[in-house]
Amino acid sequence: MTKTADSKVLKNRTIANVYLGLMIVLMYVPIVLVIIYSFNESKISSVWAGFSLKWYEELFRDRSMLDAAINSLILATVSSFLAAIIGTLAAVGMPKAKLITKGLIEYISTLPIMIPEIILGMVFLAFFTLLRLPFGMVTLTIAHTSFCIPYIYMLVKARLVGIPKSYAEAARGLGATEWNVFFDITLPLIMPAIVSGMLLSFAMSLDDVVISVFVTGVTTNTLPLKIYTQLKTGVTPKTNALCTLMFVITLVVLLLSSWVSRKSPITTGRRETHEKPSENRLSVDPVG
Amino acid sequence: MTDIILQLVQIRKSFGDTTVLDGLDLSVRRGEFITLLGPSGCGKTTTLRIIAGLEIPDSGQVILEGKDVTYDEPNKRNVNMVFQNYALFPHMNVEQNISYSLRLRRVDKATIRKTVEEALELVQLEGFEKRMPNELSGGQQQRVAIARAIVNQPAILLLDEPLGALDLQLRRQMQMELKRLQKRLGVTFIYITHDQEEALNMSDRIAVMRNGQFEQIGTPAEVYSRPKTSYVARFVGSANILTGTITGVNGKLARFENHNGIAYISAQDAPVTAGQKVTIAVRGEMVKLTPEYLDHPERPGHPEQPDHPQYPDQPEHPDHPEHLHHPEYPDHPKHIDRREHLEHLAGLRAVVKDKTFAGGVLQVTLELSDGSEMVSKLHGIDLPFAPGDRVIASWEPENAVLVDLEETA
């Protein structure tokens, strides 16, 4: 009886493992391949001719490539900062606003996540043409900032929901003005959401092609755009090296983001019950 | 003239169509421990929030230390609030939490350190300065919340069910501690609870709230033993509420009668006249029970009546202990003067419906002839009453309280 049950469990587990393995292969093998090929001596990707760092050297010698990389970093940094400010203000301010159209505004403001990027790119193009803005870093920054705002807004809003109103009320009673409450209580508590939103935005901006194609100028190139144009002239292992670097940067940023959001000081009911280890620590080493 | 620290004048507040506070008046004396007692939804939290400035009343005035603060910001009022969920700032340690109000006022660091130390000593949490709130137990968090609320020396401390989230034992202990702390600091406490026991234990005065109004404001003793309305009587100590007619007044005593029988009530506190319909409240622990067959033989239903269906042969009735119905028992009707006996056993006829034993008290639920219930709390577990027994429920006249007098028809 138990034996058949055991074997059934085992069988189920095997199926689950096979499925999981398949998924991982599908998702990550291409990435791994690109990383491996970036160290390939041969110019032809499918032929392994030995380990080499020459494509990386070549990459760093490529002036236009470096310019594009610097552009991308500046763009990602500036737009994620701007998005953080605008998104946070929106998330904090929106619950206090008494607008009839509040629901509509909230809905619209999350649209950039849902609209296909290609349409968003078209829209920006039309808009900037109308405004007669010179295409280049400015238009890129505006476009990237606006598609990053929803991420910050939603993350911060979700975090705000988890903060009891009584924190602010207690602070007010203790003599804090609205400003004090924002800087002393609200901001520190939503900081993890802002930071992880910013890191997410940074990553989104860093690898955006579709929107950037529409809003960039003739002389301005971002890293993803550069790679994309290279694809047309044929993939060299240099591109693989670049992709590997970008993958590493994105990964680091995302890992940072999840680490920051896990380190949040907000106590949920669930977390409180798991707080035992620290109690033990303190009982072993009593303070004072 | 006592020193009034806070006055609420005709406070009204509604949320949408719901009227939460309906013309509330309250005077709080300096240094007193006053409890707002009522079920959830009666408006007690809203009252507290209006005092704290977290809500603005639709009309009425909040006068704090002689100054109208109705529309003042919460940070401009010298009152602090302790929340049920403690509301400790999770990103600050105990010291930072407690010193928050002092840091806002830019008090110098040495004074802050000293004040925090004293506050922690007061709530018996010495050495906890560097702990984070989530490293503290519920009771400890509660103490930190109180310490934080008292360091800037508020005129009034508002406590919104601060012990609600604690377990019973800790709650009892914290009740005592809070009371002691309040006496020691001399700070005025306005305390909210729906737990009547807590209110009776801690308060100098209790304000019983119902539907946005105060039903009765008085000392715990007054509210408990002299409830003004049946609502107060029921809510504080769950008294029995009975309606009937006054059928005679004789000096201090009035005869109360309804279809369950006759009872005597004290007519000293409230003048009543014969023929008046009244509501009385009697606490369960004041209700004594006597087996019905001891009652006057001329009463209908008395076992000596030949046509009584249930007790055809009274002395041998099996449900009762033998000594009680044995003719030689001194209390047996045969031995007692009839008049005296009637006086002695005046009471309401009822049938025992159920009995439960809890905390050293036997709670007997009685059913009256109109189907309503009455509760008698008796000491001891081995009492000779079983479900189905017919009994007479009686009490000393001074233990029955006239309530709802304004509602008399």
Side-chain angles (χ1 to χ4, degrees):
Chain A
M1 189 66 186
T2 46
K3 208 167 188 183
T4 55
D6 277 353
S7 69
K8 204 172 174 185
V9 168
L10 208 67
K11 202 178 156 196
N12 282 343
R13 205 171 286 163
T14 314
I15 292 174
N17 285 339
V18 167
Y19 175 78
L20 188 67
L22 207 67
M23 281 298 140
I24 288 176
V25 165
L26 274 176
M27 287 165 74
Y28 296 106
V29 163
I31 297 174
V32 174
L33 279 180
V34 165
I35 295 174
I36 291 171
Y37 285 145
S38 74
F39 298 106
N40 193 355
E41 175 76 37
S42 164
K43 199 175 166 76
I44 305 150
S45 286
S46 45
V47 181
W48 181 257
F51 181 84
S52 154
L53 287 172
K54 76 170 186 191
W55 301 114
Y56 285 89
E57 282 167 38
E58 214 168 290
L59 180 67
F60 283 106
R61 270 202 303 273
D62 188 337
R63 186 71 222 168
S64 68
M65 198 67 103
L66 278 183
D67 282 347
I70 288 166
N71 275 346
S72 266
L73 285 176
I74 292 173
L75 177 62
T77 310
V78 171
S79 51
S80 60
F81 261 100
L82 287 177
I85 294 168
I86 299 170
T88 302
L89 286 181
V92 173
M94 202 59 93
K96 289 174 186 160
K98 288 190 178 69
L99 293 168
I100 311 165
T101 52
K102 199 162 94 177
L104 191 67
I105 292 173
E106 285 201 348
Y107 182 70
I108 289 174
S109 63
T110 55
L111 269 186
I113 291 181
M114 285 172 273
I115 296 177
E117 284 194 324
I118 190 106
I119 295 177
L120 214 55
M122 287 283 299
V123 168
F124 280 126
L125 178 67
F127 183 61
F128 294 147
T129 314
L130 189 75
L131 291 182
R132 287 163 205 234
L133 278 175
F135 285 88
M137 276 308 263
V138 175
T139 46
L140 275 171
T141 307
I142 295 174
H144 280 219
T145 303
S146 43
F147 78 70
C148 287
I149 289 173
Y151 295 99
I152 310 258
Y153 176 74
M154 293 207 308
L155 280 168
V156 172
K157 198 179 139 193
R159 175 53 57 99
L160 278 171
V161 169
I163 299 177
K165 223 173 57 181
S166 54
Y167 291 168
E169 289 174 349
R172 293 282 272 142
L174 292 169
T177 61
E178 296 270 8
W179 280 109
N180 293 141
V181 170
F182 180 75
F183 285 109
D184 297 343
I185 314 295
T186 313
L187 197 56
L189 291 179
I190 59 175
M191 204 37 119
I194 298 175
V195 171
S196 60
M198 272 176 67
L199 293 173
L200 194 62
S201 301
F202 187 87
M204 298 291 292
S205 164
L206 199 64
D207 68 12
D208 176 76
V209 177
V210 181
I211 294 173
S212 303
V213 164
F214 284 93
V215 296
T216 189
V218 194
T219 52
T220 320
N221 242 341
T222 66
L223 205 48
L225 283 179
K226 185 79 186 163
I227 296 170
Y228 185 68
T229 34
Q230 273 198 342
L231 274 179
K232 289 181 197 155
T233 57
V235 194
T236 67
K238 199 163 76 176
T239 317
N240 288 340
L242 186 59
C243 287
T244 305
L245 284 182
M246 287 198 47
F247 171 73
V248 170
I249 293 172
T250 313
L251 193 69
V252 166
V253 165
L254 286 179
L255 285 178
L256 267 178
S257 138
S258 70
W259 179 71
V260 165
S261 60
R262 199 172 314 152
K263 230 190 90 185
S264 95
I266 290 202
T267 55
T268 60
R270 216 176 106 253
R271 192 162 296 164
E272 253 167 73
T273 58
H274 289 289
E275 214 53 59
K276 286 282 180 286
S278 60
E279 273 184 28
N280 290 343
R281 177 176 62 80
L282 282 157
S283 63
V284 173
D285 175 27
V287 180
Chain B
M1 177 83 195
T2 36
D3 187 5
I4 301 292
I5 193 164
L6 174 83
Q7 237 181 324
L8 299 182
V9 186
Q10 281 297 303
I11 299 282
R12 280 173 209 282
K13 177 78 184 174
S14 21
F15 294 110
D17 292 337
T18 326
T19 303
V20 180
L21 298 180
D22 192 9
L24 213 63
D25 287 303
L26 179 69
S27 291
V28 179
R29 299 176 199 127
R30 190 178 292 277
E32 104 176 304
F33 193 129
I34 186 164
T35 299
L36 309 187
L37 175 66
S40 46
C42 71
K44 50 193 196 306
T45 297
T46 307
T47 309
L48 214 61
R49 292 174 63 83
I50 284 175
I51 299 171
L54 299 169
E55 304 278 356
I56 304 285
D58 298 338
S59 67
Q61 280 180 300
V62 181
I63 295 164
L64 180 65
E65 298 186 297
K67 202 175 121 238
D68 187 340
V69 297
T70 317
Y71 301 102
D72 284 7
E73 298 272 295
N75 50 321
K76 301 282 179 231
R77 308 181 184 202
N78 198 12
V79 298
N80 280 344
M81 189 148 162
V82 176
F83 293 83
Q84 184 174 358
N85 68 355
Y86 321 130
L88 295 181
F89 309 133
H91 57 299
M92 298 185 192
N93 65 25
V94 169
E95 183 178 21
Q96 290 164 329
N97 259 289
I98 294 176
S99 63
Y100 185 63
S101 59
L102 305 174
R103 285 185 285 137
L104 283 172
R105 286 193 288 140
R106 312 204 182 284
V107 175
D108 65 282
K109 281 199 176 131
T111 316
I112 288 182
R113 200 172 317 119
K114 207 172 127 257
T115 317
V116 170
E117 219 167 85
E118 283 169 5
L120 280 176
E121 196 191 312
L122 206 60
V123 296
Q124 296 162 20
L125 282 178
E126 296 98 326
F128 278 66
E129 283 91 343
K130 299 298 175 214
R131 291 236 200 152
M132 296 305 283
N134 62 9
E135 295 170 345
L136 302 174
S137 70
Q140 290 168 338
Q141 290 186 37
Q142 183 60 78
R143 286 162 209 237
V144 175
I146 290 163
R148 182 179 69 179
I150 56 178
V151 285
N152 64 343
Q153 293 164 323
I156 300 177
L157 195 60
L158 308 169
L159 302 104
D160 186 1
E161 305 217 18
L163 308 183
L166 303 178
D167 62 69
L168 190 65
Q169 207 184 339
L170 193 56
R171 210 149 93 196
R172 294 257 163 80
Q173 188 195 331
M174 284 299 287
Q175 284 175 14
M176 312 274 287
E177 264 180 47
L178 268 180
K179 182 73 193 155
R180 212 164 39 224
L181 195 67
Q182 190 262 341
K183 283 276 164 283
R184 193 166 149 194
L185 294 170
V187 175
T188 311
F189 273 35
I190 303 182
Y191 190 94
I192 279 190
T193 183
H194 59 259
D195 179 347
Q196 47 105 0
E197 198 184 297
E198 202 165 287
L200 292 170
N201 268 348
M202 303 168 80
S203 322
D204 296 325
R205 282 198 304 159
I206 297 176
V208 184
M209 270 188 100
R210 177 198 196 184
N211 297 337
Q213 279 176 322
F214 288 123
E215 195 90 351
Q216 183 174 2
I217 303 176
T219 64
E222 278 166 12
V223 172
Y224 187 81
S225 48
R226 293 273 160 243
K228 277 193 184 133
T229 66
S230 55
Y231 175 82
V232 174
R234 242 187 241 125
F235 196 80
V236 184
S238 52
N240 297 298
I241 307 297
L242 303 160
T243 53
T245 314
I246 298 294
T247 55
V249 183
N250 172 21
K252 290 175 184 176
L253 281 185
R255 191 169 65 224
F256 169 91
E257 208 169 330
N258 67 12
H259 49 269
N260 292 305
I262 293 169
Y264 290 91
I265 60 173
S266 168
Q268 269 177 312
D269 295 323
V272 284
T273 52
Q276 192 177 352
K277 284 199 169 19
V278 291
T279 306
I280 61 170
V282 190
R283 303 215 168 266
E285 58 269 34
M286 300 302 179
V287 176
K288 293 174 181 60
L289 300 182
T290 324
E292 188 178 273
Y293 65 85
L294 285 178
D295 195 8
H296 192 272
E298 280 173 20
R299 268 175 178 253
H302 189 274
E304 277 186 29
Q305 297 269 303
D307 60 344
H308 190 275
Q310 283 205 264
Y311 303 103
D313 193 8
Q314 179 48 40
E316 271 78 46
H317 189 263
D319 278 355
H320 294 288
E322 197 160 299
H323 71 278
L324 275 183
H325 59 239
H326 194 274
E328 279 169 22
Y329 182 69
D331 274 356
H332 193 275
K334 275 187 185 169
H335 303 290
I336 298 173
D337 172 81
R338 287 192 164 190
R339 260 186 70 84
E340 201 185 289
H341 189 61
L342 181 64
E343 293 276 350
H344 179 63
L345 283 172
L348 307 182
R349 276 172 295 124
V351 178
V352 175
K353 196 177 172 192
D354 192 17
K355 57 177 186 180
T356 51
F357 187 73
V361 173
L362 185 71
Q363 182 167 322
V364 184
T365 308
L366 308 170
E367 191 174 340
L368 300 175
S369 64
D370 60 352
S372 62
E373 285 187 358
M374 197 174 157
V375 168
S376 169
K377 290 176 185 162
L378 307 164
H379 287 284
I381 188 166
D382 195 21
L383 291 162
F385 302 107
D389 281 3
R390 292 175 158 270
V391 291
I392 304 285
S394 62
W395 53 83
E396 299 296 325
E398 64 269 23
N399 290 331
V401 184
L402 278 159
V403 291
D404 296 349
L405 276 176
E406 69 281 5
E407 283 171 31
T408 48

